[in-house]
Amino acid sequence: MPSGAFSPRLLGMSKDLIEAAHAVSLKAHAPYSKFHVGAAIRGASGAIYAGCNVENVAYPEGTCAEAGAIAAMCAAGEYEIAEVAVIAGSDQPVPPCGGCRQKLSEFAKPDVIVTMATHAGARAETTVGDLLPGAFDASFLDMDT
Ligand code: THU
């Protein structure tokens, strides 16, 4: 499970990211799960990109908050994640789902910090590498055939 909750970092550089994630979580379209998630990514440029979960009546067509934030980052022409924050109205900080761990890994080095937060103020911290050990990455595509 995530470690490092309440680390001093959280008082500093993650605050704006958590605030952005919180603001966008209020825009979530989640009429089926009622679980409103917001994600915010700081790109290597320092710019912040936000996304919320967007559900669909055909349930598998819904998208996660992290996917929305990544799409916003790419649409702005950025492809390097420097930091991530995710927030939900749950009792405990919610870690990104499996698919989102792979999506984050596409653009983030393993040491990139992921802060997980709740609306009530709980915080936990992990890294992209800890969320997805043994990740499938582009090196596996370098095959000798
Ligand atoms: N959800 C996210 O947006 N991100 C995650 O990492 C976990 C799950 C959303 C998907 C769905 O709309 C709702 O939360 C319940 O699973």
Side-chain angles (χ1 to χ4, degrees), residues 2-145:
S3 59
F6 309 112
S7 87
R9 267 194 72 266
L10 295 178
L11 302 174
M13 71 186 269
S14 293
K15 193 165 176 288
D16 58 348
L17 215 55
I18 294 169
E19 283 170 359
H22 179 261
V24 77
S25 75
L26 303 179
K27 310 275 179 55
H29 176 69
Y32 309 107
S33 73
K34 318 274 190 227
F35 193 66
H36 296 222
V37 186
I41 289 170
R42 195 188 315 281
S45 72
I48 292 176
Y49 305 99
C52 54
N53 55 329
V54 181
E55 297 183 349
N56 191 282
V57 64
Y59 294 174
E61 299 304 325
T63 52
C64 285
E66 296 90 331
I70 289 169
M73 181 186 75
C74 292
E78 278 213 71
Y79 303 92
E80 176 81 30
I81 294 175
E83 193 183 358
V84 181
V86 182
I87 194 166
S90 45
D91 289 341
Q92 294 187 50
V94 174
C97 76
C100 287
R101 294 174 191 212
Q102 184 71 37
K103 290 182 178 77
L104 291 168
S105 294
E106 179 76 12
F107 302 101
K109 294 191 173 62
D111 64 350
V112 164
I113 301 283
V114 180
T115 301
M116 296 157 286
T118 69
H119 291 151
R123 302 282 183 266
E125 200 175 272
T126 185
T127 63
V128 168
D130 282 351
L131 285 171
L132 192 63
F136 174 72
D137 62 27
S139 68
F140 292 98
L141 299 179
D142 296 333
M143 298 178 297
D144 281 300
T145 51

